[in-house]
Amino acid sequence: MQRTLAAVLQQDGAMPRVLVTGSSGQVGGAVARRLEAAGWSVVRFDVADGHDVRDATQVSDAADGCDAIVHAAAIAHDSAGTPDEIMATNVLGTWHVLSAAEEHGVRKVVYFSSGQVFGCAEGEGVPDSLPIDDHHPLRVARPYGMSKRLAEEMCEIWTRRTAVPTVVLRPVMILDDAASARSSPADLEYGAFVHLDDVVSATQLALATHLDGHVRMLLCGPGDFDSTVARQTLGWRPQHGWPDVR
């Protein structure tokens, strides 16, 4: 029987090997640095270094020998690419990650989705109620949010078929210290953000916690989003709120 990633983390000797896609981005870079500092062997994969999640062979080669994958590579907003580019990178790229995980016996995949999957962001729609939680209907229709919804569902179906756990993290607006110091609740939709450090901590917990099957969870610090699933499943609690002085 294949050992779980949690069992690998508990063993003596070498730390697990993890592929981090989007490793030069805000989230992927922070995750890669934190895991390296914790002793993980990190394989970095990013378009800035000539890598492309749309290339199945490149993704497969990078995943070879890895115990886990953190998939953060994406075109991160509708304004950042054409609909075709967004779908190719975010949906097909995720399929390549999942296929590589199956091919190489990866024990867990952590996938970065978005709070935009509910279709309530940037004037797209009105939530049924507040706070928005993980059980809210997914009504997104724009290409970026649609790509994330499709990738979430692909992770769920893939896990059902392979029994390899997938953890979907749904952060709201991600801010670091400098960005949060420049902002206020009135500046952000639903007064919501999650600190970059808390997102990284959730990723570490998602890797280390023994989970069966597929799970999706919102990540929010202050604001009108409910992170109960992340708290109950991972023991995650955001440590950062709005700065006292702005």
Side-chain angles (χ1 to χ4, degrees):
M1 179 180 296
Q2 186 187 54
R3 291 177 303 161
T4 66
L5 183 59
V8 174
L9 282 165
Q10 292 169 3
Q11 74 177 3
D12 294 330
M15 290 291 285
R17 182 178 176 89
V18 59
L19 169 62
V20 178
T21 70
S23 56
S24 294
Q26 180 193 34
V27 173
V31 168
R33 290 189 295 273
R34 180 81 67 85
L35 293 176
E36 286 171 340
W40 286 68
S41 174
V42 176
V43 177
R44 291 172 175 259
F45 189 100
D46 195 276
V47 67
D49 300 316
H51 305 134
D52 190 345
V53 293
R54 297 172 301 179
D55 186 320
T57 300
Q58 283 193 21
V59 178
S60 176
D61 289 346
D64 190 6
C66 289
D67 298 292
I69 299 176
V70 176
H71 181 33
I75 294 178
H77 193 270
D78 288 302
S79 63
T82 68
D84 284 352
E85 290 168 339
I86 290 168
M87 288 296 169
T89 298
N90 296 4
V91 180
L92 181 61
T94 301
W95 172 249
H96 289 160
V97 166
L98 295 174
S99 296
E102 183 174 6
E103 178 185 0
H104 295 294
V106 170
R107 295 176 173 88
K108 182 181 289 183
V109 176
V110 178
Y111 171 67
F112 271 96
S113 184
S114 167
Q116 291 200 30
V117 294
F118 303 106
C120 303
E122 299 177 2
E124 186 175 15
V126 177
D128 288 355
S129 61
L130 292 175
I132 299 167
D133 64 21
D134 285 295
H135 304 293
H136 191 282
L138 306 182
R139 300 194 178 112
V140 69
R142 293 174 183 158
Y144 170 71
M146 189 184 302
S147 75
K148 290 297 183 179
R149 175 179 178 175
L150 291 170
E152 286 189 2
E153 293 178 357
M154 186 160 51
C155 287
E156 181 177 17
I157 296 167
W158 179 82
T159 289
R160 192 181 304 142
R161 181 172 62 80
T162 65
V164 178
T166 48
V167 183
V168 171
L169 302 180
R170 295 165 157 175
V172 298
M173 175 67 73
I174 300 172
L175 302 179
D176 58 14
D177 286 339
S180 63
R182 295 192 301 267
S183 304
S184 72
D187 298 327
L188 300 180
E189 200 165 32
Y190 306 108
F193 87 96
V194 61
H195 195 281
L196 178 60
D197 289 347
D198 288 326
V199 174
V200 175
S201 296
T203 308
Q204 286 185 291
L205 287 168
L207 289 169
T209 304
H210 175 68
L211 297 170
D212 292 319
H214 169 84
V215 63
R216 312 179 194 189
M217 58 191 74
L218 274 161
L219 302 179
C220 183
D224 284 329
F225 288 84
D226 185 342
S227 299
T228 295
V229 174
R231 184 178 69 252
Q232 293 178 343
T233 305
L234 303 179
W236 179 81
R237 287 178 171 79
Q239 300 301 305
H240 299 266
W242 291 107
D244 293 334
V245 179
R246 287 189 288 275

